[in-house]
Amino acid sequence: MHHPFQCLATFGVTQPSSDEGGLFRRNILFAASGPQILTVNIKTGHIVSTWPLEDTKEPEDEQPGSKDEKGMNLAARPKIINLVAVNDGAHLIAVTGEDKCIRVFGVDAEGRLSELSERSMPKRPCAIGLTPDNRTIICGDKFGDVYAIPLQYEERIVTDSVSNITEEPKKTFVPSASEKTVHSARNRRALEDQRKQALVANAKEPLKFEHQLLLGHVSLLTDLLSVTTGSSNTGDFRHYILTSDRDEHIRVSRGPPQAHIIENYCLGHAEFVSKLLLVTPDVLISGGGDDHLIAWDWKAGRKLAQLDLRDLVVEAGLDGEVDIAVSGLWSIYDEPRQRYLVLVALEGVPTLLTFIMSVDNDIVTVSGRAVTSLPGNLICLIVMDKSIVVSSDSLKQDKETSHKERLSAYTLDSNFIVTGKSSRDLGEMWQIDPAIGATLSETNGHSSLEASRAQVNETVYSIRSLRKRGGYGEESQL
Amino acid sequence: MSEHREGSKKRKHYRASLSKEDNGLTLPKKKFFRQRAHANPFSDHALTYPSAPDHMDWSLYYPAYLSGSTQPSIVNGPNSDRAQGTPRTAESTKVTIADIGCGFGGLLFALSPQIPDSLVLGLEIRTSVTEYVQEKIKALRLQQADSKAYQNVACLRANTMKFLPNFFHKGQLEKIFLCFPDPHFKARKHKARIVSSTLNSEYAYVMKPGAWVYTITDVKDLHEWMVEHFEKHASFERVREEDLKADKCVELMIRETEEGKKVERNDGEKLVACFRRLEDPPWP
């Protein structure tokens, strides 16, 4: 099977687009399939570029095994786990899992990619954000640490960086303990052994590029938002970093250079938090392993509303016992009606869930909800104006289907919008968008990596594994 | 975990009989509560913790100071009680002193009579060590029921490296003690140390401006590590020598911690450093 598209990205529709290039860039869709990134012009449907470059030597090479070899090479490459299009309209950031790498690409006016830099982080990056000026990448990792690294990477050896103090190479090994600090016979023996041991060189090299440790959780970091409020004109401009972790926390910190100041926590989840979404500048939505999403007044750490997912899953005709793990949150502002659509993906579930929400100061009201069946499990989606491009798997819950279209497009049913006033608007809110759908055929037909189910699962299904296991791992709350 | 293996019949029998004998007046014996001195702060222990500070029922720990009615039924986050104007948690009945990694509780019992107006909480990650301290508090409170002594100290099991903000509100604590923490000698294990630039931000969050962090260790390398990381952190400044001498808690920490006594017997060095929580600067 072709590897499904696990990450989608576009340049934000809000970016200033006075120049023609800006307008054009709105039509660019980046889609990652396994280790490959395709750039697609959504208007023409053509694949503008692929990274890594496809093997052009192939026609010369007549050996029968050559095609397999190419597939193998691709299979050996690290898979893309995160894709972020920088709002400057000129850069794309891709994170690969196996090699813990952050790659930055330049994007030209046509949407073609050129690799600018490749930086290997100390731990696997789990979430990426950018500072308001789009010049610094904020990266949260599997060990809970959040680093700032410049978007533009100049190769030079940095000796004095904030976090380097923790990893100074030791010239000679001197045990930190002494006879006076160890208290048991066994420890004394261990100390003696340590002293006898030959010098062991510290294998870990400090990072060779500029980086700054901003903050850290003692937990697996799951998501990160870089948020600004106010404006510099009114003198109340503020930059915050919101981080979530596997231990139910959402932390609100100031942005650099004051990232050491924690302003608040949003506490109330009983299970891991996997996704954060800012609906308005004041309202945050979070989801994870709980049966509900939580809407927060994040600056005050105050819970505003709870959005039930389990009910919706049951109404979608799915098994009520399904393991709920939020794998994606997106929002669309429905300007004419001044309401927000919150789109939810649950891992391993072939249904798109939509909440219709209105926000009046700190009162969040859910005025409607909808479920939309998809041909396969929803992996991710991208909002393109009033339409969405949805990536789905050929797997439906855990059953393999013959479905081949990896990407499909949906548009808001205009009738639905008109009638959608009751509190229980269940039904087909999203209709197939034939126009965009047609332009996706070239992308759907692209011969991506041939991957086994096990390989796909490893890249695509990782959220449910955040749940703490029973037995000794079982944690209970008061 | 080790407590299962080492949990011999004798020990179980002893612990079961504790509360029955002498109407619970006997102090527990340490030898039946010993536990391996290290715990992995990164693993998912079978911990109990509130989902937010407002969910914590402190009346179970300080019954003489707090009545059971404080348990909130609906919780809307840390600011909700203030917003609604309910004087639920008066300043005087909040935990303001935390001994992180309190071990067998030597410091708690020394602090209790010295600062009777403050609620002192010991936090310890090892189950049986926590139980020992809890049993000892129970027995001491019974022994001195008339004077109401030791009512202001309590101990609970927690992994503070993960769950400190679950227990305390922003700016709640006036003193944090970090006494003889696990040195985690190997460089690979340095992230498990109780002091790091990222964890210091969490201590700063739960501390009131002007509050102190007290540290003591007999491991020079760890002492230097703690000094370096607190001095480098913009929310803290080191407390000067002469101010240390004027503080009665420093003396107690040096003399009264269990580990401190052990170091003394071993003729070891005791390295002390304290740090003051600074006011947050205005937004840039």
Side-chain angles (χ1 to χ4, degrees):
Chain A
M1 60 185 281
H2 285 324
H3 197 292
F5 291 100
Q6 73 272 21
C7 302
L8 298 173
T10 54
F11 291 119
V13 287
T14 52
Q15 60 141 336
S17 54
S18 48
D19 65 314
E20 271 178 51
L23 268 173
F24 186 82
R25 286 190 176 96
R26 288 184 183 197
N27 298 326
I28 295 171
L29 170 71
F30 302 103
S33 161
Q36 249 182 336
I37 304 170
L38 306 186
T39 312
V40 185
N41 182 321
I42 210 78
K43 279 282 177 284
T44 65
H46 293 311
I47 297 170
V48 182
S49 84
T50 59
W51 181 89
L53 288 176
E54 279 175 330
D55 209 340
T56 46
K57 288 179 206 150
E58 225 183 337
E60 294 169 28
D61 201 351
E62 304 246 310
Q63 284 172 7
S66 65
K67 186 126 203 209
D68 284 358
E69 227 163 73
K70 178 204 160 194
M72 287 253 305
N73 286 341
L74 214 49
R77 293 190 70 91
K79 314 288 181 300
I80 287 149
I81 55 172
N82 201 347
L83 212 53
V84 175
V86 183
N87 270 340
D88 63 2
H91 294 93
L92 177 76
I93 304 165
V95 179
T96 42
E98 291 88 338
D99 58 354
K100 301 176 275 190
C101 247
I102 293 181
R103 287 184 173 79
V104 177
F105 298 90
V107 184
D108 70 10
E110 303 291 315
R112 281 182 297 254
L113 301 182
S114 53
E115 193 179 342
L116 300 179
S117 68
E118 175 181 317
R119 280 165 283 184
S120 184
M121 299 301 289
K123 293 285 179 284
R124 180 190 279 231
C126 298
I128 293 281
L130 282 134
T131 50
D133 62 3
N134 287 324
R135 293 173 69 167
T136 306
I137 301 173
I138 304 171
C139 165
D141 71 27
K142 215 180 155 160
F143 255 39
D145 288 329
V146 176
Y147 290 94
I149 61 171
L151 180 71
Q152 306 277 9
Y153 166 46
E154 293 144 44
E155 202 155 337
R156 63 191 163 96
I157 294 172
V158 179
T159 47
D160 186 32
S161 118
V162 170
S163 63
N164 274 353
I165 54 160
T166 59
E167 36 202 25
E168 269 173 22
K170 280 193 176 147
K171 282 155 215 122
T172 50
F173 176 75
V174 182
S176 339
S178 71
E179 283 85 358
K180 287 176 179 175
T181 57
V182 293
H183 310 303
S184 73
R186 215 166 130 189
N187 284 351
R188 260 178 225 123
R189 261 202 312 278
L191 179 62
E192 229 169 274
D193 289 344
Q194 277 186 359
R195 286 187 172 146
K196 278 181 208 159
Q197 243 173 20
L199 303 182
V200 184
N202 197 341
K204 212 167 181 188
E205 268 182 57
L207 292 180
K208 291 250 168 62
F209 50 86
E210 189 184 335
H211 64 288
Q212 194 190 359
L213 179 61
L214 296 180
L215 59 107
H217 295 220
V218 179
S219 182
L220 194 153
L221 204 119
T222 52
D223 204 1
L224 177 159
L225 294 179
S226 172
V227 180
T228 60
T229 64
S231 82
S232 42
N233 295 334
T234 48
D236 59 351
F237 177 83
R238 289 174 175 190
H239 175 217
Y240 295 88
I241 299 173
L242 279 57
T243 42
S244 60
D245 72 26
R246 182 173 171 250
D247 290 297
E248 309 97 44
H249 299 115
I250 300 167
R251 188 192 287 187
V252 178
S253 305
R254 291 190 189 179
Q258 296 183 341
H260 63 280
I261 298 175
I262 299 172
E263 283 290 319
N264 228 325
Y265 282 88
C266 298
L267 300 176
H269 277 285
E271 290 287 340
F272 65 85
V273 184
S274 49
K275 291 289 165 195
L276 300 177
L277 168 75
L278 206 67
V279 181
T280 72
D282 302 313
V283 177
L284 173 78
I285 301 241
S286 60
D290 281 319
D291 282 356
H292 52 265
L293 305 176
I294 299 181
W296 304 91
D297 171 2
W298 59 272
K299 269 177 262 176
R302 196 162 53 101
K303 203 187 223 181
L304 298 175
Q306 206 158 292
L307 286 69
D308 199 88
L309 293 170
R310 176 81 53 194
D311 282 3
L312 217 49
V313 162
V314 172
E315 281 157 17
L318 294 158
D319 179 7
E321 298 296 299
V322 69
D323 181 2
I324 289 181
V326 174
S327 57
L329 290 173
W330 303 268
S331 72
I332 300 175
Y333 182 44
D334 179 11
E335 204 172 355
R337 285 160 196 84
Q338 297 192 350
R339 56 190 191 181
Y340 298 86
L341 307 180
V342 173
L343 282 57
V344 187
L346 303 181
E347 186 166 275
V349 171
T351 309
L352 169 65
L353 310 179
T354 311
F355 289 92
I356 304 170
M357 257 177 49
S358 61
V359 180
D360 181 14
N361 285 319
D362 61 350
I363 297 166
V364 171
T365 321
V366 175
S367 58
R369 311 181 302 175
V371 290
T372 308
S373 299
L374 301 173
N377 292 340
L378 172 55
I379 297 171
C380 59
L381 63 84
I382 195 91
V383 177
M384 300 192 91
D385 208 9
K386 286 280 186 294
S387 295
I388 51 174
V389 173
V390 174
S391 164
S392 53
D393 198 352
S394 58
L395 210 60
K396 203 165 183 180
Q397 289 194 280
D398 47 15
K399 286 179 196 72
E400 201 66 53
T401 68
S402 57
H403 184 71
K404 292 270 189 299
E405 303 291 286
R406 291 176 288 169
L407 294 181
S408 43
Y410 292 80
T411 189
L412 270 179
D413 182 350
S414 51
N415 293 324
F416 184 87
I417 291 294
V418 175
T419 59
K421 281 195 174 149
S422 79
S423 62
R424 285 168 58 86
D425 282 319
L426 295 169
E428 295 296 317
M429 178 177 197
W430 296 96
Q431 301 291 316
I432 297 277
D433 184 328
I436 297 181
T439 64
L440 293 171
S441 62
E442 186 176 325
T443 313
N444 275 328
H446 182 264
S447 63
S448 302
L449 171 70
E450 286 291 329
S452 69
R453 176 43 63 191
Q455 285 172 310
V456 172
N457 287 354
E458 207 178 297
T459 318
V460 175
Y461 299 98
S462 58
I463 307 288
R464 279 176 178 166
S465 65
L466 292 172
R467 199 177 296 280
K468 293 169 187 174
R469 297 288 149 223
Y472 242 92
E474 193 69 41
E475 301 207 4
S476 58
Q477 298 202 332
L478 292 179
Chain B
M1 285 287 281
S2 52
E3 72 250 46
H4 282 274
R5 287 197 304 272
E6 66 190 49
S8 65
K9 273 183 192 165
K10 212 174 176 184
R11 179 184 274 226
K12 271 186 204 151
H13 177 77
Y14 168 80
R15 290 202 207 166
S17 69
L18 247 187
S19 52
K20 288 166 205 152
E21 281 169 31
D22 291 338
N23 301 317
L25 287 165
T26 331
L27 293 181
K29 290 195 179 90
K30 233 186 263 181
K31 65 173 177 181
F32 294 110
F33 293 89
R34 294 236 180 261
Q35 196 177 347
R36 192 174 169 270
H38 313 280
N40 179 0
F42 305 122
S43 72
D44 300 334
H45 296 96
L47 290 165
T48 303
Y49 52 90
S51 67
D54 281 340
H55 284 232
M56 188 70 195
D57 183 4
W58 292 107
S59 68
L60 301 170
Y61 295 89
Y62 305 98
Y65 286 82
L66 298 157
S67 66
S69 62
T70 57
Q71 185 155 30
S73 48
I74 306 159
V75 176
N76 290 323
N79 295 329
S80 57
D81 51 330
R82 246 171 286 155
Q84 286 155 20
T86 37
R88 190 175 57 73
T89 43
E91 203 61 41
S92 57
T93 51
K94 257 187 199 169
V95 172
T96 53
I97 297 170
D99 183 0
I100 294 176
C102 68
F104 288 94
L107 181 66
L108 296 179
F109 300 112
L111 282 172
S112 173
Q114 295 289 328
I115 33 179
D117 299 329
S118 303
L119 298 190
V120 185
L121 182 70
L123 297 128
E124 172 57 48
I125 198 167
R126 293 167 293 167
T127 323
S128 47
V129 178
T130 311
E131 272 169 36
Y132 167 86
V133 181
Q134 288 169 340
E135 289 298 333
K136 189 167 171 182
I137 291 170
K138 224 190 278 175
L140 284 172
R141 282 177 180 176
L142 278 173
Q143 280 178 8
Q144 306 193 28
D146 301 337
S147 68
K148 291 218 163 184
Y150 301 106
Q151 292 288 348
N152 64 332
V153 286
C155 176
L156 55 81
R157 182 171 180 238
N159 178 356
T160 61
M161 290 174 68
K162 277 180 186 277
F163 300 112
L164 199 62
N166 292 63
F167 289 97
F168 306 115
H169 287 120
K170 184 178 186 174
Q172 181 176 341
L173 298 181
E174 286 161 15
K175 294 175 198 297
I176 289 180
F177 291 91
L178 303 170
C179 303
F180 300 97
D182 191 333
H184 291 284
F185 289 118
K186 291 174 190 156
R188 195 168 54 80
K189 296 265 186 173
H190 282 177
K191 207 187 143 85
R193 283 181 167 172
I194 199 81
V195 169
S196 65
S197 52
T198 56
L199 272 174
N200 290 358
S201 297
E202 294 196 38
Y203 300 134
Y205 171 76
V206 296
M207 287 168 75
K208 213 184 206 170
W212 284 23
V213 177
Y214 295 73
T215 73
I216 184 167
T217 178
D218 57 331
V219 181
K220 193 155 176 283
D221 184 53
L222 178 64
H223 171 71
E224 284 163 3
W225 169 281
M226 294 196 288
V227 169
E228 180 186 2
H229 284 81
F230 272 112
E231 280 187 335
K232 233 185 163 87
H233 198 285
S235 295
F236 292 95
E237 66 173 11
R238 191 165 179 184
V239 178
R240 292 172 309 167
E241 275 304 313
E242 53 262 48
D243 293 339
L244 291 187
K245 282 182 189 120
D247 189 275
K248 61 181 174 184
C249 293
V250 172
E251 182 56 25
L252 287 176
M253 174 173 78
I254 294 169
R255 270 192 298 115
E256 299 293 344
T257 50
E258 307 282 327
E259 208 62 25
K261 290 173 190 166
K262 207 188 277 178
V263 173
E264 209 147 286
R265 286 199 296 275
N266 224 3
D267 197 24
E269 224 183 336
K270 289 188 213 174
L271 304 153
V272 174
C274 295
F275 308 90
R276 191 179 290 109
R277 165 75 159 95
L278 300 169
E279 291 272 2
D280 284 339
W283 281 80

